[in-house]
Amino acid sequence: MNVFYEEEGTFKVGAVLADNMTSLQVEAPHGKRAKIKAASVLLRFDAPSLTEFMDVAQKKAEDLDPNFLWECCESEVEFASDALAADYFGDRVTPEEAAAVLIRLHSAPMYFYKKGRGRYKAAPPKALEAALASQEKKRRQAEQQARYMQSLSEFVLPEEFKPSLFNLLYRPEKNSVEWKALDAVCAAMKLSVSQLLQKCGAIPSTHDYHLNRFLLEHFPEGTDFDDLGADQLAVLPDLPVADVTAFSIDDVTTTEIDDAFSVTPLTLGSFRIGIHIAVPTLGIAPGSPLDKVAEQRVSTVYIPGNKITMLPEPVIQQYTLSEKQLRPAVSMYLDVADDFTVTATTTRVEQVKVAANLRHDTLEEQFNESTLAGGNINHPFGRELTALWNFARKMEALRGKTNDSNNERIDYNFNLHGDHIVITERRRGSPIDKVVSELMIYVNAEWGRLLADSGVAGIYRSQGNGKVRMSTSPAPHQSLGVSQYAWISSPMRRYVDFINQRQLVGLLRGEEPPYTRESESLHMFMRNFESTYEVYGDFQRSMERYWCLRWLLQENVQVTGAQVLKENLVKLDRLPLVARVASLPELPSETAVEVEISNIDLLELTFSIKFLRKLQA
């Protein structure tokens, strides 16, 4: 005796070795023995053989049209499979035919719902129609996916991909046919999505690929300011005009000129230094649309050849300290003795007319260590610059930074001319740098002290044990050597400076400052600034890395010098580019080596680097 039975949703056959009423011991065609429940048995038969029985049943099942069988059944009425077999084959149904009907019913779940062992119910017409439509859709999608995969494997972009390229790159719908095809080909070819699409010609600009990813995440509504402009500004109060001749010092690309300086002679060799900071907070009220957009953006985003400003350009033009223009400013005046010690300070809100915007590229030719040593600064502001230089050195010494290690560090300027990149080195700690940085450190520390001594809340930066943190409580900044430090000098470029300036201006004008130390909004601004400012910095560094790699390709650099930093970490010559060299032997820090560059990938921002030799000192 043989049996046809169901086990875990699969039909099987076996020869009965023992029948124990509720269970049977059976042997499969391949010889494996098993114990099955008697209730699992659907048919019993003596002939044909087990193998032949299944072959015949399967072939007959394939010949059965499920749609015809469905039409033979009364809709939504439960039936036994053997009854349907009798209707189809006639009263004398062979075991193979009965098994064929069971196999066919089981293999067509859209047409027949299983209700029990050997029992089914025909699907309702509407449900069947919907299921068949879904099946057809899946079939067409499978064909479409296969066509897409074939095209992508040949590095040809399907026409249907073009409207959804942006989403495929940055925010894919992973249930879409396009993504499934793309993902499958990437896995097969061991390529990233961006690499495959680039090979298909879908990424014409690697620069825009990185920029668009950043914009999508942090500027999803775009970088435009809509209708926000100068007409949103509040009317400026009537402010006194400062009787000074001021000048600014900035890079040639700077448009948000936040700071300017003046030097006015006093009696007996003393003089008065003016530090003048643009004051956009006078025209931008708390909670106004302009304030909200500045809060949301947190700061200006800087990348080589481009920037995304915190404030709209028309607003910047109203407050930037442009030459020959009268602009509102909050000014700190320092009375300085002939030995360059500060004898008195005062701060006021006023208007300042900047006489000139000096730029690094031209100023450095006339104001540098050599011209200072020779005492021959041939510049209209030569006397003022010399006074500021001597004052800056005095302040640096008072901070305990006479041998400032920054003097040995190199800054890099990235200048774009179309797709051509020029990267130049500039030693940090030059006279220009020292003058500007020392005056900014001084004003930020002193205004931070003024806020704290007056009991006015502010956002401070402190540093201890190598860690920089922000808080609403003043604390020492060990690296700078000051008792407290609050960013206030860049209100058009950083929202923390903007907030602190708003507090300072309120104090100076005898008004109630908008925020207290307990204000939840103040703490929210601080937290948001810290996280977002870090993201902006990471993006700037990644784009600088991108342009370094572009420069290596542009200059066809395959072998270059480098300097060992530590262990297997080196810094390439002429570039702010650091890499790990697995093949680097153990060498002391600052050892000069020669390395080989290859396999530059502008999408992944990676490259291969190999140690060649140690260079002679």
Side-chain angles (χ1 to χ4, degrees), residues 516-586:
T516 65
R517 188 174 293 177
E518 292 73 31
S519 294
E520 177 57 32
S521 55
L522 191 67
H523 289 269
M524 181 189 67
F525 297 151
M526 185 174 66
R527 291 192 298 268
N528 185 46
F529 180 87
E530 280 191 291
S531 59
T532 307
Y533 197 65
E534 183 178 353
V535 169
Y536 289 178
D538 288 342
F539 177 62
Q540 179 179 348
R541 287 186 287 274
S542 72
M543 292 309 294
E544 288 177 354
R545 181 180 179 87
Y546 169 84
W547 283 110
C548 286
L549 298 180
R550 279 282 295 264
W551 184 88
L552 290 170
L553 291 172
Q554 169 188 291
E555 304 299 321
N556 194 28
V557 176
Q558 298 177 12
V559 175
T560 185
Q563 187 178 71
V564 177
L565 298 179
K566 61 179 181 178
E567 298 176 351
N568 62 349
L569 204 63
V570 303
K571 179 200 164 296
L572 272 59
D573 291 348
R574 298 174 290 171
L575 297 173
L577 191 58
V578 174
R580 294 196 178 277
V581 185
S583 56
L584 188 73
E586 187 173 337

Side-chain angles (χ1 to χ4, degrees), residues 34-335:
K35 182 179 179 180
I36 65 172
K37 293 180 180 180
S40 301
V41 175
L42 298 167
L43 295 169
R44 296 174 183 260
F45 61 95
D46 292 318
S49 67
L50 297 179
T51 304
E52 184 181 352
F53 178 89
M54 284 302 290
D55 288 344
V56 172
Q58 289 284 4
K59 288 177 182 178
K60 286 183 177 294
E62 291 171 5
D63 292 336
L64 296 175
D65 181 2
N67 190 62
F68 178 75
L69 292 177
W70 180 81
E71 291 178 350
C72 293
C73 299
E74 187 176 348
S75 178
E76 299 189 65
V77 175
E78 188 177 319
F79 62 89
S81 64
D82 54 0
L84 180 61
D87 288 344
Y88 188 88
F89 289 106
D91 292 336
R92 303 190 62 176
V93 181
T94 67
E96 299 97 303
E97 291 170 339
V101 171
L102 268 167
I103 292 171
R104 198 58 174 134
L105 292 173
H106 190 75
S107 67
M110 289 188 299
Y111 289 87
F112 305 101
Y113 302 155
K114 187 176 180 181
K115 307 305 293 181
R117 203 170 300 278
R119 299 193 63 80
Y120 294 86
K121 184 169 72 172
K126 288 186 178 180
L128 177 61
E129 182 181 358
L132 290 173
S134 176
Q135 183 184 54
E136 176 61 18
K137 180 181 178 181
K138 290 179 180 178
R139 184 192 65 78
R140 290 197 304 268
Q141 287 178 338
E143 290 180 353
Q144 192 177 41
Q145 182 174 328
R147 179 168 60 83
Y148 289 164
M149 290 175 63
Q150 178 64 34
S151 181
L152 292 168
S153 299
E154 298 169 358
F155 301 133
V156 176
L157 187 73
E159 193 68 27
E160 296 90 337
F161 275 51
K162 292 181 180 179
S164 56
L165 264 178
F166 189 87
N167 288 337
L168 288 171
L169 277 169
Y170 303 118
R171 51 183 182 194
E173 170 50 60
K174 295 193 175 182
N175 286 323
S176 68
V177 179
E178 291 82 3
W179 172 258
K180 289 178 180 177
L182 190 60
D183 187 51
V185 175
C186 285
M189 303 187 78
K190 294 181 171 57
L191 295 172
S192 68
V193 170
S194 57
Q195 287 171 331
L196 176 57
L197 288 176
Q198 186 186 41
K199 287 180 178 293
C200 294
I203 304 179
S205 168
T206 50
H207 174 274
D208 290 351
Y209 165 75
H210 294 292
L211 178 61
N212 288 337
R213 179 187 294 279
F214 172 78
L215 294 178
L216 176 65
E217 184 173 356
H218 299 284
F219 293 86
E221 304 301 322
T223 58
D224 292 338
F225 289 91
D226 298 325
D227 297 328
L228 292 179
D231 59 331
Q232 302 282 325
L233 295 170
V235 177
L236 287 177
D238 188 18
L239 299 173
V241 178
D243 184 18
V244 297
T245 301
F247 57 91
S248 64
I249 304 174
D250 292 281
D251 183 79
V252 68
T253 60
T254 301
T255 57
E256 301 151 291
I257 303 175
D258 287 299
D259 51 79
F261 316 106
S262 62
V263 179
T264 304
L266 299 177
T267 60
L268 302 175
S270 64
F271 55 94
R272 179 171 293 150
I273 292 176
I275 305 173
H276 313 283
I277 305 299
V279 59
T281 54
L282 285 178
I284 302 175
S288 66
L290 282 171
D291 183 42
K292 289 179 178 178
V293 76
E295 175 192 344
Q296 182 181 15
R297 295 200 172 197
V298 166
S299 81
T300 292
V301 183
Y302 293 97
I303 56 176
N306 194 8
K307 66 179 177 180
I308 305 168
T309 59
M310 184 180 79
L311 295 171
E313 188 61 27
V315 173
I316 293 170
Q317 290 308 313
Q318 290 291 312
Y319 291 99
T320 187
L321 303 181
S322 301
E323 61 185 19
K324 314 302 182 188
Q325 300 294 323
L326 197 62
R327 292 286 188 259
V330 56
S331 301
M332 174 179 282
Y333 289 100
L334 319 176
D335 286 355

